[in-house]
Amino acid sequence: MKNLIAILILLLSTTAYSDERILSFHSDVRIFTDGMIEVTETIQVRAEGQQIRRGIYRDFPTEYEDRLGNSYEITVEPLAVLRNELPEPFHTVRSGRDIRIYFGESSRFIVPGVHTYTFRYRANRLLGYFDEHDELYWNVTGNRWAFPIDKASATVTLEFDAPRDAILVEAYTGRLGSKAQEYSRHMDEAGAVHFSANRPLPEAHGLTIVVGWPKGFVVEPTAWQKLAWLLSDNRDLLIALCGLTLLFAYYIPVWQRHGKDPDEGVIVTRYEPPKGFSPASLRYIRQMYYDDKAMTAAIVNLAVKGYLQIKKQGSTHSVKKLVADARRAPLAAGEDELYVALFSEGDVVTLKQDNHELLGRARSAHKASLMSDYKQKYFRTNGALNIPAIAIVVVATSLALAAGNGPG
């Protein structure tokens, strides 16, 4: 019995020991007068070949919104990664609004045990510039770790001589957006501010710090620099705007040269179509395209001229071919083609869905005839002039989408 209890205790202790976790996470942050910050993170992990097999990674959100709702993008520049004080390979992958920096190689597994990673990087555009002070608001650990963090801490060093009594200090612990303040802080003789969480952080919990100082110590970006950042951050919209400008620059002179109709001159009221024109042809010329109403007008005009008879039985219409009469008015352009095609299979045609193939052929014959007789003679659609505009839209859209999803 005693042996069984000893074995159970050993198994429980082994299981507890094999729990992968972050034993400590410390961040040294240096703030420079040009607005850059340099961070050295020391992350000690216990790896057991479960989730930590080849190494770890760090996630950084890079796109934010300012107080005016404009999106802006920070820059994170990895400088070096060490594992157990030896250089470690790393690479960066962008995913949407985030970047992920992998420590290690996909072809190499690390041995189980405790490993200490040192990650040094520079970042820009992280400082907030307010009316009476500037500040760093920084999520030290991030909130996306799948492991608990036993000990989280940070040290912030100002690389300028701000008055100690004017330095503002705040911090938060917990999930993203939490206002919990379970932390300790103190300022050493050199003016560095030290933070530490009072208790271990569960997974998806983090430590966020705030350090502020009076204005005048850090050079605030100029209006031109802010404008350059704004254009860079919204380069997809800038490309789209350039594409729209180019579109107008192309279309305006093209319209002035090819799109303006000639002066109408004196308008005279007429009660009959001009000689040689039918209602269908006049509609086609006026609209510059063919539609069902043009075909309907042609059928009605054929009935008026005595070439066919329109009958209605209930809700169904039909047309009947009439016997030739020398006194009938001659057919206008397109009407002969419609007439021949319409009665190509018999002298009576019911205008319903069952005859859609026959009616479709008649419609196509009528349309082709009108196009042959009037298009490019009485009007020009200039469709080919839209090809450069389509190319501009396609290229601008492709570039804008690529810029919106590309690296910062």
Side-chain angles (χ1 to χ4, degrees):
M1 185 66 179
K2 292 182 179 180
N3 291 337
L4 179 60
I5 293 174
I7 292 172
L8 288 175
I9 292 174
L10 179 61
L11 287 174
L12 289 173
S13 62
T14 303
T15 302
Y17 179 78
S18 64
D19 180 25
E20 291 187 325
R21 62 198 309 109
I22 298 173
L23 302 176
S24 65
F25 190 118
H26 180 74
S27 181
D28 280 301
V29 183
R30 299 168 62 199
I31 304 175
F32 296 90
T33 57
D34 62 357
M36 292 286 292
I37 72 168
E38 185 173 304
V39 183
T40 301
E41 296 179 348
T42 304
I43 308 170
Q44 189 177 70
V45 302
R46 184 165 64 219
E48 293 297 333
Q50 299 169 8
Q51 295 188 66
I52 305 177
R53 303 174 65 191
R54 299 174 177 84
I56 62 174
Y57 55 79
R58 278 287 275 131
D59 285 329
F60 291 95
T62 58
E63 293 188 19
Y64 298 85
E65 285 191 357
D66 61 19
R67 290 169 289 176
L68 300 177
N70 298 313
S71 63
Y72 70 94
E73 189 168 344
I74 69 170
T75 59
V76 177
E77 179 189 359
L79 300 176
V81 174
L82 304 177
R83 181 168 64 88
N84 302 329
E85 300 184 353
L86 296 176
E88 183 78 350
F90 64 91
H91 67 279
T92 302
V93 175
R94 186 177 183 97
S95 175
R97 293 188 169 191
D98 304 336
I99 61 170
R100 173 171 290 181
I101 302 170
Y102 290 89
F103 305 164
E105 294 181 294
S106 60
S107 60
R108 186 188 65 187
F109 293 89
I110 62 175
V111 297
V114 176
H115 296 269
T116 300
Y117 288 91
T118 304
F119 176 37
R120 189 166 64 90
Y121 58 92
R122 278 195 295 258
N124 196 12
R125 302 185 65 188
L126 288 169
L127 303 185
Y129 301 95
F130 300 94
D131 293 338
E132 298 181 357
H133 76 285
D134 302 328
E135 72 175 32
L136 170 69
Y137 186 101
W138 181 239
N139 188 332
V140 172
T141 58
N143 290 77
R144 299 183 182 180
W145 291 103
F147 316 104
I149 302 175
D150 290 346
K151 182 180 179 182
S153 58
T155 299
V156 178
T157 302
L158 306 180
E159 298 296 330
F160 44 87
D161 296 326
R164 290 168 56 94
D165 58 355
I167 296 178
L168 309 174
V169 179
E170 199 78 71
Y172 305 96
T173 56
R175 293 186 178 275
L176 189 65
S178 170
K179 297 301 181 182
Q181 294 185 306
E182 298 181 6
Y183 75 98
S184 301
R185 71 191 188 199
H186 73 275
M187 187 181 299
D188 62 25
E189 295 180 356
V193 184
H194 301 267
F195 300 85
S196 61
N198 289 343
R199 62 187 63 190
L201 300 174
E203 61 181 77
H205 286 59
L207 171 65
T208 298
I209 62 173
V210 184
V211 178
W213 55 90
K215 296 193 74 66
F217 292 95
V218 175
V219 178
E220 189 169 349
T222 65
W224 285 108
Q225 180 64 67
K226 291 178 181 178
L227 177 60
W229 282 344
L230 179 65
L231 296 178
S232 176
D233 293 336
N234 299 279
R235 54 190 175 277
D236 52 343
L237 297 179
L238 179 62
I239 292 173
L241 182 60
C242 290
L244 182 61
T245 302
L246 189 59
L247 204 59
F248 277 111
Y250 170 74
Y251 261 133
I252 289 175
V254 166
W255 177 80
Q256 289 176 336
R257 183 175 180 180
H258 301 282
K260 295 180 67 174
D261 293 331
D263 295 336
E264 292 183 347
V266 179
I267 299 177
V268 179
T269 303
R270 305 187 66 159
Y271 299 97
E272 294 181 358
K275 187 176 181 180
F277 291 86
S278 66
S281 61
L282 291 177
R283 177 177 179 82
Y284 177 71
I285 293 171
R286 183 175 183 274
Q287 294 198 146
M288 296 188 292
Y289 65 86
Y290 186 89
D291 62 1
D292 289 339
K293 288 185 178 181
M295 180 176 177
T296 302
I299 291 176
V300 171
N301 201 44
L302 287 172
V304 171
K305 291 180 177 181
Y307 285 84
L308 57 83
Q309 182 181 21
I310 302 175
K311 293 185 176 182
K312 181 180 179 182
Q313 185 174 1
S315 59
T316 303
H317 290 79
S318 63
V319 292
K320 179 182 179 182
K321 184 178 181 180
L322 298 179
V323 178
D325 186 343
R327 295 173 297 176
R328 293 186 301 195
L331 294 176
E335 291 181 341
D336 183 55
E337 289 78 4
L338 174 63
Y339 183 73
V340 171
L342 195 59
F343 296 109
S344 60
E345 296 182 3
D347 292 343
V348 179
V349 178
T350 304
L351 305 180
K352 59 182 183 179
Q353 182 63 26
D354 292 346
N355 290 323
H356 69 276
E357 291 186 2
L358 174 65
L359 296 173
R361 290 196 299 271
R363 185 182 191 277
S364 297
H366 188 222
K367 178 181 177 181
S369 177
L370 292 181
M371 288 180 62
S372 175
D373 289 333
Y374 301 114
K375 191 175 182 180
Q376 306 302 332
K377 297 178 183 178
Y378 290 91
F379 65 89
R380 294 181 183 274
T381 56
N382 296 317
L385 296 176
N386 291 316
I387 295 176
I390 294 172
I392 291 172
V393 171
V394 171
V395 172
T397 302
S398 301
L399 292 177
L401 291 175
N405 297 324

